[in-house]
Amino acid sequence: MFIVLEGPDGAGKSVQATRLAEWLCVRGLTVVQTREPGGTATGDEIRAILLQSDHLHLHAETEALLMSAARAQHVHEVLLPALERGDAIVCDRYADSTYAYQGGGRQLNMEQLAVIQHFATGGLVPNLRILLDLPVEVGLNRRHGDAGQINRIDRESLAFHERVRQTFLELAHADPSSWTIIDASADIETVTAAIRIAVVAHFHLAVTS
Ligand code: TYD
C-alpha cells in the first residue's frame, strides 16, 4: 500500500497524512509516514535549500533536479525498503508535485520531467494518489495565517499557484483509477472521513469506524 497525498499549498495534507497513518495503524498495519521534499537526512538538507527564502535565485531547472534528487534518495533509502518489508506508506507529496509545481507552475517541459522522474524513482509509482483540492486563495490564506510556515514557493504569484492547482486536476482527471479528488475546503473531520472512504474503496478494506 503506497498512498500519496497531493495538492496545492494549504490543503491540510500534513494533518491528514498523520490522521490517515494513525488510522491505518489502528487497523493493524505497520505504517511508514513520510514526506517530500525530505524524508531522509540527505533529503532534509536538500529541502532546506529548496524552501529557504534566501535562495530566491534558484533556477527552475535546479529546483526540478533538487526535488528529484531528494526523491531518489527517499525512494532508495525509505520507500523501497518499506515496501519490501510489507509496510504501508503514507507520503505527503511525491512525483506528481514535480509535474504540478515545476511542470505546471514553472512551465518546464513535462516530457523531460517524466524522464527525470523515471530516473529518480526507478519507476516506483503510488497505488493511490489523493488530491486534496481547494481554491488557491483559500489555501494561501491558510498558509499566511501562520507566518512561520511560509516558504520560498508559497511566495510565488497567484497565477503560479493557479497553474499548480489546474495541473493537479488535469493529472487526476487523466488517470481516475489511481486518483481520488477530495474537496479540501471542507472542515478537517469531513476531509478525514472522505479520505478513509477512498482508502477503504481503493484497497477493498473491510469497513469499520
Ligand atoms: P511544504 O512546507 O512541505 O509544503 P506543503 O505543506 O504544502 O507540502 O513545502 C513543500 C513545497 O515544495 C510546496 O510548496 C510544494 C513544493 N514542491 C515542489 O515544488 N515540487 C516537488 O516535487 C515537491 C515534492 C514539492
Side-chain angles (χ1 to χ4, degrees):
M1 186 187 280
F2 177 18
I3 302 172
V4 175
L5 298 181
E6 294 280 12
D9 294 279
K13 285 179 290 67
S14 49
V15 171
Q16 295 298 343
T18 300
R19 287 181 165 214
L20 176 59
E22 286 170 358
W23 181 71
L24 290 171
C25 280
V26 170
R27 298 180 67 107
L29 295 174
T30 303
V31 182
V32 172
Q33 185 189 344
T34 184
R35 69 163 180 189
E36 291 198 356
T40 66
T42 310
D44 281 336
E45 290 195 37
I46 297 173
R47 177 185 175 89
I49 297 171
L50 280 163
L51 299 185
Q52 276 163 19
S53 297
D54 45 348
H55 288 292
L56 287 175
H57 56 282
L58 210 62
H59 283 277
E61 287 81 357
T62 316
E63 184 179 272
L65 289 168
L66 286 177
M67 292 288 180
S68 306
R71 181 162 305 124
Q73 190 65 26
H74 194 213
V75 165
H76 294 289
E77 195 178 317
V78 176
L79 302 182
L80 287 177
L83 292 172
E84 273 159 26
R85 289 193 303 271
D87 296 351
I89 297 170
V90 174
C91 188
D92 185 343
R93 299 196 182 281
Y94 189 61
D96 294 299
S97 278
T98 299
Y99 295 123
Y101 283 82
Q102 283 67 53
R106 303 271 185 236
Q107 300 181 295
L108 293 182
N109 180 283
M110 287 287 191
E111 280 81 36
Q112 289 179 340
L113 289 178
V115 172
I116 296 166
Q117 291 324 291
H118 198 269
F119 181 70
T121 65
L124 178 68
V125 289
N127 6 65
L128 176 61
R129 308 148 209 246
I130 298 172
L131 174 54
L132 297 185
D133 177 58
L134 83 174
V136 165
E137 296 82 356
V138 178
L140 291 180
N141 280 341
R142 284 185 185 172
R143 289 294 275 239
H144 288 273
D146 181 355
Q149 268 204 31
I150 300 192
N151 62 47
R152 188 180 57 85
I153 294 175
D154 292 326
R155 293 177 200 278
E156 285 299 331
S157 66
L158 213 55
F160 172 94
H161 289 287
E162 200 61 65
R163 288 196 299 276
V164 169
R165 181 188 185 199
Q166 291 312 321
T167 308
F168 272 129
L169 287 168
E170 283 164 23
L171 290 166
H173 287 304
D175 185 10
S177 64
S178 81
W179 283 90
T180 289
I181 304 176
I182 289 174
D183 174 10
S185 59
D187 63 87
I188 290 187
E189 299 302 333
T190 305
V191 175
T192 299
I195 290 174
R196 289 179 185 175
I197 289 168
V199 170
V200 164
H202 192 85
F203 295 100
H204 306 291
L205 302 180
V207 179
T208 57
S209 59

PDB file of all heavy atoms in Angstrom, residues 139-147 150 154-155:
ATOM      1  N   GLY A 139      -6.276  28.244   0.183  1.00  0.00           N
ATOM      2  CA  GLY A 139      -5.058  27.583   0.636  1.00  0.00           C
ATOM      3  C   GLY A 139      -4.007  28.586   1.084  1.00  0.00           C
ATOM      4  O   GLY A 139      -3.389  28.435   2.139  1.00  0.00           O
ATOM      5  N   LEU A 140      -3.816  29.642   0.284  1.00  0.00           N
ATOM      6  CA  LEU A 140      -2.776  30.620   0.627  1.00  0.00           C
ATOM      7  C   LEU A 140      -3.162  31.404   1.873  1.00  0.00           C
ATOM      8  O   LEU A 140      -2.306  31.705   2.710  1.00  0.00           O
ATOM      9  CB  LEU A 140      -2.516  31.555  -0.561  1.00  0.00           C
ATOM     10  CG  LEU A 140      -1.835  30.875  -1.756  1.00  0.00           C
ATOM     11  CD1 LEU A 140      -1.621  31.870  -2.889  1.00  0.00           C
ATOM     12  CD2 LEU A 140      -0.508  30.223  -1.375  1.00  0.00           C
ATOM     13  N   ASN A 141      -4.440  31.694   2.045  1.00  0.00           N
ATOM     14  CA  ASN A 141      -4.878  32.383   3.270  1.00  0.00           C
ATOM     15  C   ASN A 141      -4.588  31.530   4.489  1.00  0.00           C
ATOM     16  O   ASN A 141      -4.165  32.033   5.531  1.00  0.00           O
ATOM     17  CB  ASN A 141      -6.378  32.706   3.218  1.00  0.00           C
ATOM     18  CG  ASN A 141      -6.622  33.940   2.383  1.00  0.00           C
ATOM     19  OD1 ASN A 141      -5.710  34.724   2.154  1.00  0.00           O
ATOM     20  ND2 ASN A 141      -7.850  34.108   1.910  1.00  0.00           N
ATOM     21  N   ARG A 142      -4.806  30.213   4.362  1.00  0.00           N
ATOM     22  CA  ARG A 142      -4.496  29.320   5.484  1.00  0.00           C
ATOM     23  C   ARG A 142      -3.011  29.393   5.807  1.00  0.00           C
ATOM     24  O   ARG A 142      -2.617  29.462   6.957  1.00  0.00           O
ATOM     25  CB  ARG A 142      -4.852  27.868   5.128  1.00  0.00           C
ATOM     26  CG  ARG A 142      -6.337  27.573   5.178  1.00  0.00           C
ATOM     27  CD  ARG A 142      -6.531  26.083   4.941  1.00  0.00           C
ATOM     28  NE  ARG A 142      -7.925  25.719   4.845  1.00  0.00           N
ATOM     29  CZ  ARG A 142      -8.352  24.508   4.488  1.00  0.00           C
ATOM     30  NH1 ARG A 142      -7.481  23.567   4.174  1.00  0.00           N
ATOM     31  NH2 ARG A 142      -9.630  24.241   4.428  1.00  0.00           N
ATOM     32  N   ARG A 143      -2.170  29.365   4.753  1.00  0.00           N
ATOM     33  CA  ARG A 143      -0.722  29.391   4.972  1.00  0.00           C
ATOM     34  C   ARG A 143      -0.287  30.709   5.583  1.00  0.00           C
ATOM     35  O   ARG A 143       0.544  30.749   6.477  1.00  0.00           O
ATOM     36  CB  ARG A 143       0.030  29.206   3.646  1.00  0.00           C
ATOM     37  CG  ARG A 143      -0.087  27.829   3.103  1.00  0.00           C
ATOM     38  CD  ARG A 143       0.617  26.868   4.021  1.00  0.00           C
ATOM     39  NE  ARG A 143       2.013  26.797   3.721  1.00  0.00           N
ATOM     40  CZ  ARG A 143       2.632  25.678   3.371  1.00  0.00           C
ATOM     41  NH1 ARG A 143       1.966  24.553   3.298  1.00  0.00           N
ATOM     42  NH2 ARG A 143       3.903  25.676   3.107  1.00  0.00           N
ATOM     43  N   HIS A 144      -0.850  31.798   5.066  1.00  0.00           N
ATOM     44  CA  HIS A 144      -0.407  33.107   5.536  1.00  0.00           C
ATOM     45  C   HIS A 144      -0.916  33.401   6.939  1.00  0.00           C
ATOM     46  O   HIS A 144      -0.407  34.283   7.615  1.00  0.00           O
ATOM     47  CB  HIS A 144      -0.796  34.197   4.529  1.00  0.00           C
ATOM     48  CG  HIS A 144       0.043  34.125   3.279  1.00  0.00           C
ATOM     49  ND1 HIS A 144       1.246  34.763   3.163  1.00  0.00           N
ATOM     50  CD2 HIS A 144      -0.119  33.428   2.124  1.00  0.00           C
ATOM     51  CE1 HIS A 144       1.785  34.482   1.977  1.00  0.00           C
ATOM     52  NE2 HIS A 144       0.971  33.664   1.328  1.00  0.00           N
ATOM     53  N   GLY A 145      -1.893  32.602   7.394  1.00  0.00           N
ATOM     54  CA  GLY A 145      -2.349  32.706   8.780  1.00  0.00           C
ATOM     55  C   GLY A 145      -1.267  32.246   9.746  1.00  0.00           C
ATOM     56  O   GLY A 145      -1.308  32.553  10.926  1.00  0.00           O
ATOM     57  N   ASP A 146      -0.290  31.503   9.231  1.00  0.00           N
ATOM     58  CA  ASP A 146       0.800  31.008  10.076  1.00  0.00           C
ATOM     59  C   ASP A 146       2.111  31.444   9.421  1.00  0.00           C
ATOM     60  O   ASP A 146       2.696  30.715   8.619  1.00  0.00           O
ATOM     61  CB  ASP A 146       0.710  29.477  10.174  1.00  0.00           C
ATOM     62  CG  ASP A 146       1.799  28.903  11.067  1.00  0.00           C
ATOM     63  OD1 ASP A 146       2.660  29.679  11.526  1.00  0.00           O
ATOM     64  OD2 ASP A 146       1.786  27.682  11.297  1.00  0.00           O
ATOM     65  N   ALA A 147       2.564  32.652   9.756  1.00  0.00           N
ATOM     66  CA  ALA A 147       3.699  33.265   9.047  1.00  0.00           C
ATOM     67  C   ALA A 147       4.940  32.390   9.074  1.00  0.00           C
ATOM     68  O   ALA A 147       5.712  32.359   8.113  1.00  0.00           O
ATOM     69  CB  ALA A 147       4.001  34.628   9.654  1.00  0.00           C
ATOM     70  N   ILE A 150       5.543  30.024   5.974  1.00  0.00           N
ATOM     71  CA  ILE A 150       5.624  30.480   4.586  1.00  0.00           C
ATOM     72  C   ILE A 150       7.012  30.237   4.015  1.00  0.00           C
ATOM     73  O   ILE A 150       8.007  30.679   4.592  1.00  0.00           O
ATOM     74  CB  ILE A 150       5.263  31.967   4.504  1.00  0.00           C
ATOM     75  CG1 ILE A 150       3.843  32.079   5.026  1.00  0.00           C
ATOM     76  CG2 ILE A 150       5.390  32.473   3.085  1.00  0.00           C
ATOM     77  CD1 ILE A 150       3.214  33.357   4.790  1.00  0.00           C
ATOM     78  N   ASP A 154       5.712  29.234  -1.524  1.00  0.00           N
ATOM     79  CA  ASP A 154       4.446  29.894  -1.155  1.00  0.00           C
ATOM     80  C   ASP A 154       4.404  31.333  -1.672  1.00  0.00           C
ATOM     81  O   ASP A 154       3.343  31.882  -1.935  1.00  0.00           O
ATOM     82  CB  ASP A 154       4.283  29.950   0.372  1.00  0.00           C
ATOM     83  CG  ASP A 154       4.089  28.582   0.990  1.00  0.00           C
ATOM     84  OD1 ASP A 154       3.464  27.731   0.345  1.00  0.00           O
ATOM     85  OD2 ASP A 154       4.568  28.368   2.114  1.00  0.00           O
ATOM     86  N   ARG A 155       5.595  31.962  -1.767  1.00  0.00           N
ATOM     87  CA  ARG A 155       5.646  33.379  -2.132  1.00  0.00           C
ATOM     88  C   ARG A 155       5.427  33.625  -3.617  1.00  0.00           C
ATOM     89  O   ARG A 155       5.429  34.770  -4.063  1.00  0.00           O
ATOM     90  CB  ARG A 155       7.010  33.979  -1.743  1.00  0.00           C
ATOM     91  CG  ARG A 155       7.222  34.032  -0.257  1.00  0.00           C
ATOM     92  CD  ARG A 155       8.612  34.574   0.071  1.00  0.00           C
ATOM     93  NE  ARG A 155       9.000  34.189   1.421  1.00  0.00           N
ATOM     94  CZ  ARG A 155       8.603  34.835   2.513  1.00  0.00           C
ATOM     95  NH1 ARG A 155       7.858  35.886   2.410  1.00  0.00           N
ATOM     96  NH2 ARG A 155       8.968  34.408   3.715  1.00  0.00           N
TER      97      ARG A 155
END
